[in-house]
């Protein structure tokens, strides 16, 4: 059956991650961003809706109390000097 606007079901979805402990994600952050997090929390919130074959929504990330170390082990505001590399 071919999908068309007429047979798509409308939906409204909300989802979120709250207070994720960033040091718990260090293996991932070392592999993909080359830095360690010593403290901080992360939140991700999203809402997506569909009606008549059109989508609308947003994704919002929130980072609090971030303390990072760069690739040489320095605490020299590594992420603040290159913020565009780490924005979601």
């Amino acid at each position: 059956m071919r999908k068309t606007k007429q047979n798509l079901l409308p939906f409204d979805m909300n989802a979120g991650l709250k207070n994720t402990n960033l040091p718990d994600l260090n293996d991932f952050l070392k592999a993909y961003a080359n830095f360690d997090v010593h403290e901080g929390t992360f939140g991700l919130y999203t809402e997506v809706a569909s009606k008549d074959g059109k989508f609308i929504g947003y994704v919002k990330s929130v980072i609090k109390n971030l303390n990072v170390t760069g690739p040489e082990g320095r605490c020299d505001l590594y992420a603040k000097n290159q913020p565009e590399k780490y924005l979601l």
Side-chain angles (χ1 to χ4, degrees):
M1 183 164 128
R2 185 173 174 216
K3 296 287 183 189
T4 64
K5 287 183 182 181
Q6 290 78 22
N7 61 10
L8 291 176
L9 295 175
F11 68 88
D12 189 353
M13 178 187 76
N14 300 309
L17 290 170
K18 294 182 181 181
N19 299 318
T20 303
N21 189 28
L22 284 172
D24 291 343
L25 301 176
N26 267 335
D27 289 340
F28 175 80
L29 294 171
K30 286 179 196 176
Y32 292 99
N34 199 25
F35 66 86
D36 288 338
V37 174
H38 295 286
E39 68 177 305
T41 58
F42 172 75
L44 184 72
Y45 307 92
T46 185
E47 181 175 350
V48 180
S50 171
K51 184 177 179 184
D52 299 327
K54 297 180 182 177
F55 294 91
I56 188 168
Y58 69 90
V59 175
K60 178 180 180 179
S61 61
V62 178
I63 299 173
K64 295 182 181 178
N65 303 319
L66 183 62
N67 182 357
V68 301
T69 301
E72 290 91 32
R74 298 187 320 250
C75 290
D76 60 356
L77 302 176
Y78 181 75
K80 287 186 179 182
N81 291 332
Q82 302 178 22
E84 65 280 353
K85 287 179 71 174
Y86 306 106
L87 295 176
L88 299 175

